Amino acid sequence: MFRTALRNVLAHKARLLMTVLAVMLGVAFVSGTFVFTDTVSKAMSNQSRKSYDGVAVSVTHYGPGRAEDGTREEGEPGISQQTVDKVAKLGGVDSVSGRVSGFAGVADPSGKLIGTGWANQGANFAPVKDGKDPRYAFTEGHGPAKADEVALDSASAKTGRYSVGDKVRVATNGPVKEYTLAGVFTTEDGAVNAGGSLVLFENKVAQELYLAPGYYSELAVAAKPGADAGKLLSEVTPIVGKDAKAETGAALAERNAKDIEKGMSGLKTGLLAFGFIALFVSIFLIYNTFTMLVAQRTKELALLRAVGATRSQVRRSVLSEALLVGVLASALGLALGVGLAVGLRAGMDSFGAKIPAGPLVVSSTAVITAILVGVKVTVLAAWLPARRTSKIPPVAAMGSAHLPQSAKGLVVLNSIGGVLTGIGFALILWGSSKGGETGRWIIGGGAFFTLIGVAVLIPMLSRPLIAVVRPLLSRVFGVAGNLAARNAVRNPRRTGVTAGMLTIGLTLVTGLTVLGVTIGKSVDRSTTDQIRADYMLTMASGGDLDPSVLTALEKTQGVTAVSGQQSAYFKGSDDRFHAASGVNPAAIEKLVNFKVVSGSVAGLAQGQVAVADKTAKKAGLTVGSTFEATFDGAGAKKTLKVAAIYEESELVSPYVLDVKQVPVVEGEKPQIRQVFVKMAGGESKANEQKVIDALGDNPAIKIADKQDIRNEMGGIINMMLNLMYGLLGMALVISVLGVVNTLAMSVFERTQEIGMLRAVGLNQGRVKSMIRLEAVVISLFGAVLGVGLGTFLAWALGRTFKASVPNYELVIPFDRIGVFLLLAAVVGVLAAMWPARSAAKLNMLTAIKTE
C-alpha cells in the first residue's frame, strides 16, 4: 500500500504541486520567523555581552527616591568623582571608567539630521590607563581631548562625508554648537545599529551637557587578573550608596540578553500568527486537493477493496500520500524560510536598521516546528477525504465514481457550523461591550469561532446567495452565465471550502483596513479640528525642548502667538498622579481649538485650570469646583479652581493650566514637549524659514505644519496596514491556488457534460467564459462574506478603542472595499485560466465517451 501511495503521489504532479506550494508558503513563514528572530536575538545578545567584556562590576545610578508626599528626596545627581576614586582604590580593581550619555544630533552638510532621531546619542570619551577608551576602536584620529572636539561613529561620518579636522554641527537639548572632528571610530553600540548616530564629547563637556560637572550615571569596573567579581561586587556596593545599583558584568549581560529575548518574543508571536493563518487557509486547499484525487481514483480504490484491501489499508494509503507531501513541503518550506530570514535581515540593514554581525541561527526548535507543523496540517486536512474513501464499497468499481453526500451529513455539519457561529458572534458582542484589552482578547476568540463556523456554513449559504445573481449572469452572459451560476452550486461543499479561503483572507484584510482608516480619520480630525497653530515644534529625539526655543521665537518677526506645552504631574485627592499641561494663557486659544463644554478658558490667566470632559466626569468636577494638587518633584501643594470643561483632545493633557502655576525643581529644566507657533500670513516657505533661522538651523528640532502632523500620524497607520497586507498576501496566494484546484476538479467531474455541451453547439469561447464566470462567482461570494465579517469585526474592535481614541467614529472605506471586491474578481479570472483552457481543449467525442 505504501508503494501504491508513492505511485499515486508521482502520478498527480500538477495537483499535488499546488498543495506543496500552499504548505511550503505557510511553513516558510513559520520557520523564517524562528530563524530570523533567533538570529537577531543571538546577535544582539552577543553584542550586549561583548559590551561588558572586561567589566567585572557595573554600577548604574538611579537617582534619589520620593517621599510620601511625592517630592523627591535629597541626593546627588549621579556617581561623584570622589566615589569613583574610592572604587579605584579597591585592591581587586584594575581600572574604573565613568559613563554619561544623552541625546546628540549631528547635521549633515545640508543641515539635515543624520540618523533616526530617537537613536541619536552622545556620550563621554573616558580613556583609562593606556589613554584609550575600551568601548571604541578608532580608525582615524583620536578621542576628543578638548572642549571643542568630538568624535563620530564611522557610519555617521560616512553619511555626512566628514573627515578628521572638519567642522561638525551638533545639537543636544540646547542651541547648536560647532565642534572640530578629532576622530572616527567603530562601535557595536545599540543606538548606532538601530540607525542612529553616536557623538563622543570630552569628558567634562559630556558631564555638563547630560548630568552635572564631576558626576557619572554609570561606572564600568575592570578587575585585576585573578580577582573575583563577586567579592569585588560586595566591596563596591556599600561605596556607591543606596541611589545606585551594582551588579557583576556577567549578571548584567545575562539580564540584558533575557530582556532582548523577551522583547523579540512579541515580534515572533506576531509573525507566527500570520504564518499560522496561511497554514490554516492551506487546510482548505489540501482538503480540496485530496478530495479531488480521491474522486479521480474512486474506481481504483474500490477495486483495491475488491481484491482484498481493508478499509484501514485504503485510509492509510491516502494518509501516506499526505505524509509524503507534508514532508516534502515542510523540507522545502524550511529551506525557503531560511532564505526569507536572510533576505529580511539584509532588508533591515538596507533600511538603516542595522543588525549586529553574527551567524545565522537555525535552531532545532525551528526545524522540528517547521516539519511537525507542515506534516500535521497536511495529514489533518487529508484525514476526512481518507476516511470517506475507506467507506467506498467494492461495488463502486462498477458504478458511478461520484457519490453524493448524505443529507444527514449536511444537517450535522450545518448544525455544528450554526453553533460555532452563534458562539463566535456572542463572544464578539460581549467583547465589544466590555471594551479595553480584555474585550479585544474576547473578540479575538469570538473571531476564531466565527470564521470556523462560517466556513462550515458556507456550503449551505452558497445556494441562496448565488441564486440571487444567477438572473443577472443569464441576462448579461447568456447560456454561459446561467451554466456558470448553476455549476458554482452544484457541489456546495467544494464551493464552500474554496470560498472559505477567500473569506478568511478578506475578513482579516477588511477588518484591518476599516479599523486603520477609522483610527486614521480620528487622528486626522484631532489635528485639523483642534490645532490652530501654523507649526508645531518637537525634538527629533522625543525629548524636551530647551526653554531658549520659546525665548527665540518670541523675538522672531512675524510670530503672532507662541506657547510651549510644559509637562507636569500632580497627585490629586484620590492619591493618584495626573498629567497636566502648562501653557501660555495669553496665546493658547489662538493655537489650540478648545471645544469648551462649559466655562471659559480665559480663566487660565487667573491661575485656574481647564479639565477634559471625560476626566472631569470621572473626578466629579464641574466649573467652579476646587481640588488639591501636589506637584511631582517640587512638592508644591496648590488649590486649583476649575475654569472650563472642554472636549478631550489629543494635543493637550487632561488638565491645562498657566505655565506659571507649574513649579519646576531647582536646578532642573522644565519639560517642554511641544511648542505651538502662529505666524502672520499662515503657513509658507518664508515663514518656515524664519522659524528655522530663529532656532539657529537646529537639525534636532522638527518643524511640522498641519499636513506634516497628519502625514506623520497617518503614515504610521498606513505603514502598519501595508505591512499587514504583505503578510496576509500569502493567505490570498493560497486562496488563488484553491480556486484553481476547485475549477480543475469541476472540469474533471464534468468532462462528459462539457463534451455534450460542445456537441450541441457551445463553442470553445463560451466554454471558457463558463469556467471563468464560475470562478468569479465563487471568488466574489467568498469576498462578500469576508468583507461583511471584516467590517463587523472592525466595528466590534473599534468599540474597545473608542474610550481611548478621541473623535472616534466608524468609517467604512467603500473605495478600498470596492478594490478588494475587484481584486477578488481578478483572482477568479486568473485562477480560471488553466482550467478554462483545459476545458476548451477537450475533444468532444472523447469527452462524451468518458464515464
Side-chain angles (χ1 to χ4, degrees):
M1 294 303 291
F2 181 77
R3 287 197 299 271
T4 301
L6 181 60
R7 177 179 60 79
N8 288 326
V9 169
L10 299 176
H12 302 90
K13 300 180 183 66
R15 303 280 191 275
L16 292 170
L17 176 62
M18 288 184 284
T19 301
V20 169
L21 285 173
V23 178
M24 183 181 72
L25 287 172
V27 170
F29 209 99
V30 172
S31 59
T33 296
F34 274 102
V35 174
F36 174 71
T37 53
D38 288 346
T39 298
V40 173
S41 180
K42 184 70 173 178
M44 294 178 70
S45 297
N46 288 342
Q47 179 197 58
S48 176
R49 289 189 175 95
K50 186 177 179 181
S51 65
Y52 291 102
D53 283 349
V55 178
V57 176
S58 176
V59 182
T60 303
H61 187 268
Y62 290 100
R66 299 184 185 279
E68 292 184 0
D69 63 355
T71 60
R72 295 184 183 180
E73 297 176 344
E74 291 186 4
E76 294 186 300
I79 303 169
S80 67
Q81 185 62 50
Q82 291 81 358
T83 301
V84 174
D85 294 338
K86 289 179 182 178
V87 172
K89 292 177 182 178
L90 294 174
V93 173
D94 183 55
S95 64
V96 182
S97 176
R99 304 179 185 182
V100 62
S101 61
F103 169 77
V106 183
D108 64 16
S110 66
K112 300 297 183 182
L113 184 68
I114 296 175
T116 56
W118 62 268
N120 292 337
Q121 295 290 308
N124 62 317
F125 177 69
V128 290
K129 294 179 180 178
D130 57 359
K132 297 180 180 179
D133 190 325
R135 294 170 290 181
Y136 313 108
F138 279 82
T139 57
E140 298 179 49
H142 54 80
K146 300 178 182 178
D148 62 347
E149 291 182 339
V150 293
L152 275 181
D153 68 276
S154 56
S156 299
K158 182 179 179 181
T159 301
R161 300 187 295 276
Y162 289 122
S163 300
V164 172
D166 289 347
K167 296 295 183 181
V168 180
R169 296 175 67 247
V170 181
T172 53
N173 285 345
V176 181
K177 292 185 179 180
E178 195 171 73
Y179 298 85
T180 300
L181 184 62
V184 177
F185 59 89
T186 59
T187 178
E188 289 296 323
D189 186 274
V192 175
N193 285 326
S197 61
L198 181 60
V199 184
L200 296 183
F201 297 93
E202 188 272 333
N203 189 57
K204 291 183 180 179
V205 172
Q207 289 177 327
E208 291 175 357
L209 283 173
Y210 301 125
L211 200 58
Y215 288 93
Y216 301 95
S217 55
E218 295 181 23
L219 295 183
V221 182
K224 291 179 179 178
D228 180 69
K231 182 181 179 182
L232 199 58
L233 175 64
S234 63
E235 295 174 345
V236 170
T237 300
I239 296 176
V240 297
K242 65 176 183 178
D243 293 338
K245 181 180 180 181
E247 55 189 320
T248 63
L252 184 57
E254 186 64 29
R255 179 161 58 83
N256 286 349
K258 289 181 179 179
D259 289 342
I260 291 169
E261 185 177 347
K262 185 178 179 181
M264 293 299 295
S265 66
L267 174 63
K268 180 184 290 186
T269 301
L271 292 176
L272 284 175
F274 289 97
F276 283 116
I277 288 171
L279 285 169
F280 180 69
V281 175
S282 299
I283 290 177
F284 293 84
L285 173 57
I286 299 164
Y287 169 83
N288 255 2
T289 299
F290 277 90
T291 299
M292 181 192 307
L293 295 175
V294 167
Q296 289 176 329
R297 297 189 351 249
T298 300
K299 287 189 175 183
E300 174 191 329
L301 296 171
L303 190 59
L304 288 174
R305 290 289 315 280
V307 298
T310 64
R311 286 186 174 186
S312 60
Q313 284 179 315
V314 172
R315 185 168 58 249
R316 285 199 300 269
S317 173
V318 177
L319 291 178
S320 295
E321 293 179 44
L323 179 64
L324 290 171
V325 171
V327 170
L328 175 62
S330 299
L332 292 175
L334 177 61
L336 180 60
V338 173
L340 286 174
V342 173
L344 185 56
R345 178 174 178 173
M348 290 186 70
D349 285 341
S350 66
F351 280 109
K354 301 174 186 176
I355 297 174
L360 190 70
V361 179
V362 184
S363 65
S364 58
T365 302
V367 175
I368 293 171
T369 301
I371 294 175
L372 284 180
V373 166
V375 171
K376 281 187 175 182
V377 165
T378 309
V379 173
L380 176 65
W383 179 81
L384 193 58
R387 180 174 177 273
R388 192 180 305 127
T389 299
S390 67
K391 292 183 177 182
I392 297 175
V395 73
M398 301 170 60
S400 174
H402 312 299
L403 302 176
Q405 185 180 359
S406 68
K408 181 181 178 182
L410 286 173
V411 170
V412 171
L413 280 177
N414 291 337
S415 299
I416 294 172
V419 170
L420 290 175
T421 304
I423 293 172
F425 269 72
L427 287 173
I428 291 171
L429 292 173
W430 178 33
S432 67
S433 62
K434 191 171 185 63
E437 186 175 354
T438 303
R440 289 190 281 275
W441 279 106
I442 295 173
I443 290 172
F448 176 77
F449 282 108
T450 300
L451 287 174
I452 298 293
V454 169
V456 175
L457 285 175
I458 281 179
M460 182 186 72
L461 298 173
S462 62
R463 286 186 182 275
L465 291 180
I466 293 177
V468 173
V469 300
R470 193 168 72 191
L472 177 63
L473 290 173
S474 298
R475 283 197 299 270
V476 177
F477 299 101
V479 174
N482 187 32
L483 290 173
R486 290 177 179 272
N487 290 333
V489 295
R490 176 176 291 187
N491 190 325
R493 170 178 279 188
R494 191 165 61 243
T495 297
V497 170
T498 306
M501 290 186 280
L502 285 166
T503 297
I504 293 170
L506 265 298
T507 295
L508 298 172
V509 169
T510 303
L512 290 171
T513 299
V514 173
L515 195 60
V517 170
T518 297
I519 294 176
K521 291 291 185 182
S522 299
V523 172
D524 187 57
R525 282 192 292 269
S526 295
T527 55
T528 56
D529 293 352
Q530 297 180 16
I531 187 168
R532 291 173 173 170
D534 296 319
Y535 301 103
M536 184 176 77
L537 279 55
T538 57
M539 285 294 291
S541 63
D544 300 325
L545 289 157
D546 192 84
S548 60
V549 170
L550 284 170
T551 305
L553 290 171
E554 287 168 353
K555 297 177 180 178
T556 301
Q557 185 180 3
V559 173
T560 58
V562 61
S563 173
Q565 183 175 187
Q566 184 173 321
S567 296
Y569 297 90
F570 65 86
K571 182 184 285 188
S573 56
D574 56 0
D575 205 34
R576 295 174 59 185
F577 280 96
H578 303 273
S581 294
V583 299
N584 178 0
I588 194 62
E589 287 193 274
K590 299 177 183 177
L591 304 167
V592 175
N593 180 21
F594 283 96
K595 296 182 178 180
V596 177
V597 177
S598 58
S600 173
V601 179
L604 297 180
Q606 284 75 51
Q608 298 176 6
V609 61
V611 186
D613 52 357
K614 293 180 181 178
T615 301
K617 183 178 179 180
K618 188 176 180 180
L621 297 174
T622 59
V623 173
S625 299
T626 59
F627 60 93
E628 297 293 327
T630 303
F631 282 85
D632 181 34
K637 182 175 286 188
K638 295 177 178 288
T639 299
L640 297 176
K641 183 178 181 180
V642 178
I645 306 294
Y646 62 91
E647 290 184 14
E648 190 173 11
S649 170
E650 282 283 287
L651 294 177
V652 293
S653 300
Y655 292 87
V656 179
L657 66 165
D658 187 346
V659 69
K660 295 177 182 177
Q661 297 291 321
V662 179
V664 179
V665 179
E666 187 178 352
E668 294 187 8
K669 291 183 178 180
Q671 298 177 343
I672 304 174
R673 293 295 182 182
Q674 295 100 14
V675 170
F676 300 109
V677 183
K678 193 166 187 63
M679 307 279 294
E683 297 175 12
S684 67
K685 288 290 183 182
N687 278 341
E688 184 175 342
Q689 190 60 49
K690 286 181 180 179
V691 175
I692 292 172
D693 293 340
L695 302 176
D697 195 11
N698 191 326
I701 298 178
K702 291 170 61 177
I703 303 172
D705 57 24
K706 291 180 184 178
Q707 189 59 48
D708 292 331
I709 297 170
R710 284 197 296 266
N711 291 343
E712 183 174 351
M713 298 294 187
I716 296 172
I717 295 170
N718 289 331
M719 181 182 70
M720 292 179 66
L721 280 177
N722 291 334
L723 177 63
M724 298 297 182
Y725 291 158
L727 295 175
L728 290 171
M730 282 194 310
L732 296 178
V733 169
I734 295 170
S735 300
V736 173
L737 297 177
V739 178
V740 174
N741 242 8
T742 294
L743 294 175
M745 188 170 185
S746 180
V747 169
F748 162 74
E749 289 181 350
R750 303 202 309 268
T751 299
Q752 188 180 64
E753 178 187 314
I754 292 172
M756 292 292 293
L757 290 171
R758 290 290 314 284
V760 298
L762 197 69
N763 59 30
Q764 288 185 337
R766 287 186 175 179
V767 170
K768 288 182 179 179
S769 297
M770 178 182 70
I771 303 299
R772 290 195 195 101
L773 288 171
E774 182 181 346
V776 170
V777 167
I778 293 173
S779 298
L780 286 177
F781 169 56
V784 168
L785 285 177
V787 166
L789 283 175
T791 304
F792 174 61
L793 284 174
W795 167 81
L797 283 170
R799 292 192 64 189
T800 67
F801 287 106
K802 194 172 183 179
S804 56
V805 178
N807 301 302
Y808 181 89
E809 184 178 336
L810 185 68
V811 177
I812 308 296
F814 291 103
D815 53 343
R816 298 197 189 190
I817 288 176
V819 171
F820 295 158
L821 294 176
L822 179 62
L823 288 176
V826 172
V827 163
V829 173
L830 294 177
M833 290 179 66
W834 172 51
R837 180 182 173 86
S838 300
K841 282 188 172 183
L842 285 174
N843 182 289
M844 67 179 72
L845 295 178
T846 303
I848 291 171
K849 291 190 295 181
T850 301
E851 296 184 5

